[in-house]
């Protein structure tokens, strides 16, 4: 049975098998959680991202790639690219669900069983968290129901209001 848990704080500090990064298609870093991960993890992460770019030309929206976690306490970083919110008529929910599923599948392919997610797309990419959080939780729940090997998925939030929202949704 997998556990779905919630933590508030900086995802770069978690000692888990993998943390997920809310990246962009270039894989070359940016602001938000992406910036925090590259800053705290050091240059080894960017080097691997550049090697992936050379091989496959970045990462499409909804897809995921995995790299070292450099100096971070986590084992790996899974980089996924969330959709930019454009009002909801551009397949954003499907693409966001793909981020969670593809990241978890990549983790399982590597035998990783404790994975932490930030709230993908809900910062710079503007996806309303009231819509993104229930979709994230439902997608992760369904994935874990099908893949009992996943031990724990941790949702990591930054703000108190995001924490309250996730808390309420995880209770149901
Ligand atoms: N730990 C946990 N959560 C965090 C952290 C952290 N250290 N820092 C921010 N958050 P965002 P996006 C939360 O903007 O919307 C980058 O430039 C934040 O409060 O990081 O998917 C990329 O390169 C929010 O709830 O990601 C892309 O270009 C959530 O993480 C673009 O931003 C996601 O916010 C991706 O935008």
């Amino acid at each position: 049975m997998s556990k779905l848990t919630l933590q508030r704080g900086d995802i770069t500090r978690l000692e888990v098998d993998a943390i997920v990064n809310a990246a962009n298609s270039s894989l070359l870093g940016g602001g938000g959680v992406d910036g925090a991960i590259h800053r705290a993890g050091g240059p080894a992460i960017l080097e691997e991202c550049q090697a992936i770019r050379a091989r496959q030309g970045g990462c499409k929206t909804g897809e995921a790639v995995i790299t070292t976690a450099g100096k971070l306490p986590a084992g790996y970083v899974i980089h996924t690219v969330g959709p930019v919110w454009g009002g909801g008529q551009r397949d954003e929910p499907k693409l966001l669900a793909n981020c969670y599923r593809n990241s978890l599948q990549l983790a399982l392919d590597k035998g990783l069983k404790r994975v932490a997610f930030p709230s993908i797309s809900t910062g710079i990419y503007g996806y309303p968290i009231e819509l993104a959080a229930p979709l994230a939780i439902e997608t992760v729940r369904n994935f874990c129901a099908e893949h009992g090997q996943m031990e724990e998925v941790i949702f990591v939030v930054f703000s108190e209001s995001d924490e309250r929202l996730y808390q309420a949704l995880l209770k149901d």
Side-chain angles (χ1 to χ4, degrees):
M1 258 297 268
S2 334
K3 277 192 298 189
L4 271 58
T5 60
L6 176 64
Q7 281 192 40
R8 179 144 82 96
D10 181 358
I11 198 168
T12 65
R13 306 179 78 104
L14 295 195
E15 285 181 46
V16 287
D17 295 338
I19 61 169
V20 178
N21 181 20
N24 61 63
S25 300
S26 79
L27 297 176
L28 294 178
V33 71
D34 196 8
I37 287 173
H38 282 283
R39 262 195 312 279
I45 301 177
L46 186 59
E47 277 164 29
E48 266 196 53
C49 285
Q50 279 162 336
I52 293 168
R53 268 172 69 87
R55 262 199 324 271
Q56 68 176 55
C59 182
K60 292 198 189 106
T61 304
E63 294 183 359
V65 300
I66 188 164
T67 67
T68 173
K71 294 185 285 183
L72 298 177
Y76 293 86
V77 176
I78 294 171
H79 307 260
T80 190
V81 181
V84 176
W85 180 254
Q89 307 305 312
R90 298 182 193 161
D91 264 354
E92 294 95 329
K94 190 178 119 205
L95 292 166
L96 186 63
N98 286 347
C99 287
Y100 285 91
R101 270 196 298 269
N102 288 329
S103 297
L104 290 172
Q105 189 58 54
L106 208 48
L108 278 192
D109 292 345
K110 280 235 169 220
L112 309 176
K113 297 175 171 189
R114 290 184 69 230
V115 178
F117 281 93
S119 183
I120 294 163
S121 282
T122 66
I124 294 164
Y125 280 179
Y127 204 124
I129 195 158
E130 297 73 19
L131 302 177
L135 181 59
I137 291 170
E138 190 200 354
T139 306
V140 170
R141 266 205 187 116
N142 289 340
F143 184 93
C144 289
E146 285 170 30
H147 303 85
Q149 321 88 291
M150 186 56 69
E151 278 170 16
E152 184 176 7
V153 177
I154 305 163
F155 294 101
V156 183
V157 291
F158 234 22
S159 74
E160 215 178 317
S161 61
D162 291 354
E163 185 182 30
R164 275 196 299 272
L165 175 65
Y166 268 85
Q167 247 163 12
L169 292 165
L170 284 165
K171 264 198 299 214
D172 306 336

